[in-house]
Amino acid sequence: RKMYLFVSAGGSVLAVITMGIYSTLLFTSTLAFVLLVCCVDHSCIHTWAFLMQMLWQTFWHLLIQYREYYLHEPVSIRLFLAVSTLMLLTQRITSVSLDLQEKRGVLTPSKRQACVTLLPLISYILNFTTLLGGPLGSYGQFITLMEGINLTSPPRPLGVVFLKLMQVLMLEWVRFYLVYFLKYLIHDFNPGILYGILSTWCLGLVLRIQYYSHWKISECLNNAAGFGFWEDSSGDYFSKWSGLSDGDFWTTEASICMSQFTRRWNATTASWLRRLVYARHKHFPLFMCFGFSLWWHGLHLGHFVGFFTWAATVKADHHIHRNLFPNITPTQRKIYTFVNWINTQMVVTCIVIAVEFRNLSGLNLLSKTYIGLFPLVNIILRPSALLYTKVF
């Protein structure tokens, strides 16, 4: 049990150092969930845990908006970090509560064993390797990895960690030159449409690279601590250390359609949303999933526009790809793939800028550069694809 104690203590210390007084947000959620596990029947624990965690998280999101938009006060970076970490705690807590409700895991079989079985749970929630940046792994995977550390340690990850850190440096090098290029474009501003679309695409790519670097650093931290090695996985040694990964730059950016990009982007969160929302709703599961994602992210104006645009373009992509792709020649498919990749890049750029800017400034940028027309064209093409299928 020393490893569990070390992991949870490390997470607690990291939270206090980085968030100060706002670390109590995390400790409150953890304590409340532990009490639920001990006191609530596991057949309905997910409903209680879900409502408790989302209401607690939403309160702090709305408080930030109140300070920003109504009081016009600067918000502490520690509070932003605490709320961002609280979102990751919501993933882990609801994941465990679903496991318990679906009887995939058993906790606290008796009062005598309560402390022994709750320590791994607290360690999973406050794990210092995933506290600030994820990725999300299941509780069962966490226990397996922890027991693996105790019994048979995985191979040394130093080589893999070094290579992944080199990838981070490369990504940051690309981001640095993209920012330099953007400053050059702004200095020599040209009002042309293509000029505006190119600069906005570069800005969207800069914002996405920040996520890729963040995920890769989190992956390195987990690998260095011995997490993320799957001995049964196929592939080379490097691939075996990718058990906890939120996305790879080259694979994700090479997506040729919105549905493919959606599955690859922030992969562990996408799997969590699929299990938590998409698979549990028979009516409008796609829009329910993106609607919940909007709630989980904080309910800013840019989030409303970004996530519902995302849902609409994924839905349109399903219809367009299913109805047009089988009816075109191999040569046309190559052209279709290239055009669709460009289209995916433009639509993703619109979504990222709307979500990241959060307010009207991002929407104004999209309207001035005309790049915001790409999602609209995708949505309009959906009925056209249906008509094409009926005619031909």
Side-chain angles (χ1 to χ4, degrees):
R1 302 300 172 183
K2 291 182 180 180
M3 286 300 301
Y4 293 115
L5 187 61
F6 172 76
V7 168
S8 57
S12 301
V13 171
L14 179 62
V16 172
I17 291 175
T18 56
M19 303 167 208
I21 187 63
Y22 296 112
S23 60
T24 54
L25 275 65
L26 314 183
F27 300 142
T28 301
S29 286
T30 304
L31 177 61
F33 182 60
V34 168
L35 291 176
L36 283 179
V37 170
C38 294
C39 303
V40 175
D41 184 4
H42 290 178
S43 63
C44 60
I45 191 173
H46 175 66
T47 302
W48 284 93
F50 176 83
L51 290 175
M52 173 202 73
Q53 190 64 21
M54 286 305 300
L55 290 175
W56 178 242
Q57 178 182 302
T58 302
F59 168 78
W60 290 100
H61 270 139
L62 295 179
L63 179 63
I64 289 176
Q65 291 195 44
Y66 175 72
R67 289 185 178 181
E68 280 187 319
Y69 304 133
Y70 185 77
L71 299 179
H72 300 286
E73 292 179 354
V75 180
S76 170
I77 188 65
R78 287 175 179 257
L79 177 57
F80 273 118
L81 183 59
V83 174
S84 176
T85 306
L86 188 63
M87 293 168 63
L88 298 177
L89 250 70
T90 298
Q91 290 186 334
R92 293 193 283 276
I93 287 174
T94 54
S95 178
V96 173
S97 66
L98 268 178
D99 287 343
L100 292 173
Q101 186 160 304
E102 295 172 357
K103 297 181 179 180
R104 295 186 181 184
V106 179
L107 291 173
T108 63
S110 67
K111 291 183 178 180
R112 180 176 297 180
Q113 296 178 340
C115 293
V116 176
T117 54
L118 287 177
L119 181 58
L121 175 62
I122 296 172
S123 300
Y124 171 72
I125 295 173
L126 297 176
N127 180 9
F128 72 93
T129 65
T130 58
L131 187 73
L132 300 180
L136 174 67
S138 71
Y139 179 68
Q141 290 173 340
F142 174 77
I143 296 299
T144 300
L145 290 169
M146 290 295 288
E147 295 300 330
I149 290 175
N150 290 329
L151 299 176
T152 55
S153 298
R156 286 190 174 186
L158 295 180
V160 170
V161 172
F162 175 78
L163 289 175
K164 291 181 179 180
L165 287 176
M166 291 299 102
Q167 291 180 357
V168 173
L169 289 177
M170 183 190 67
L171 287 171
E172 290 303 303
W173 178 80
V174 172
R175 188 168 72 91
F176 172 81
Y177 280 100
L178 280 173
V179 171
Y180 178 82
F181 181 62
L182 276 172
K183 291 179 179 178
Y184 171 79
L185 290 177
I186 294 173
H187 183 265
D188 299 326
F189 182 72
N190 187 325
I193 294 177
L194 291 178
Y195 198 86
I197 291 175
L198 177 62
S199 60
T200 309
W201 174 78
C202 288
L203 176 60
L205 187 57
V206 167
L207 294 173
R208 297 201 297 279
I209 287 176
Q210 289 180 324
Y211 279 96
Y212 291 121
S213 296
H214 178 79
W215 294 335
K216 193 61 68 175
I217 291 172
S218 297
E219 193 177 337
C220 287
L221 177 60
N222 279 277
N223 290 164
F227 295 102
F229 181 79
W230 303 117
E231 191 172 0
D232 295 332
S233 64
S234 59
D236 55 15
Y237 176 74
F238 187 85
S239 300
K240 289 178 182 290
W241 275 106
S242 299
L244 289 174
S245 176
D246 267 322
D248 174 71
F249 173 81
W250 299 109
T251 303
T252 307
E253 292 299 318
S255 301
I256 62 169
C257 59
M258 281 302 301
S259 55
Q260 191 179 71
F261 179 89
T262 302
R263 289 190 297 270
R264 293 172 175 177
W265 174 264
N266 202 355
T268 60
T269 296
S271 298
W272 171 69
L273 289 170
R274 193 178 302 115
R275 181 191 179 197
L276 184 73
V277 183
Y278 189 87
R280 297 169 65 87
H281 288 84
K282 295 181 180 180
H283 303 291
F284 308 107
L286 184 68
F287 285 94
M288 293 292 289
C289 188
F290 280 98
F292 172 75
S293 187
L294 157 68
W295 180 18
W296 180 66
H297 277 86
L299 299 170
H300 289 266
L301 175 62
H303 294 164
F304 277 92
V305 176
F307 284 108
F308 282 115
T309 298
W310 198 339
T313 51
V314 169
K315 189 69 174 178
D317 174 67
H318 286 161
H319 285 272
I320 295 170
H321 187 76
R322 184 174 67 244
N323 292 308
L324 288 183
F325 194 76
N327 300 311
I328 57 180
T329 64
T331 303
Q332 290 174 332
R333 288 182 182 182
K334 293 180 181 179
I335 300 173
Y336 171 85
T337 300
F338 176 71
V339 172
N340 216 24
W341 176 78
I342 296 176
N343 172 70
T344 301
Q345 288 288 308
M346 297 299 109
V347 173
V348 167
T349 297
C350 293
I351 294 169
V352 169
I353 288 177
V355 171
E356 286 298 304
F357 279 62
R358 301 186 303 171
N359 50 35
L360 284 173
S361 60
L363 305 181
N364 290 334
L365 174 62
L366 296 177
S367 62
K368 289 179 180 178
T369 57
Y370 298 100
I371 198 172
L373 293 175
F374 279 90
L376 184 61
V377 170
N378 278 257
I379 297 170
I380 293 174
L381 282 177
R382 177 189 168 186
S384 301
L386 294 174
L387 180 62
Y388 178 89
T389 305
K390 291 179 180 180
V391 173
F392 295 98

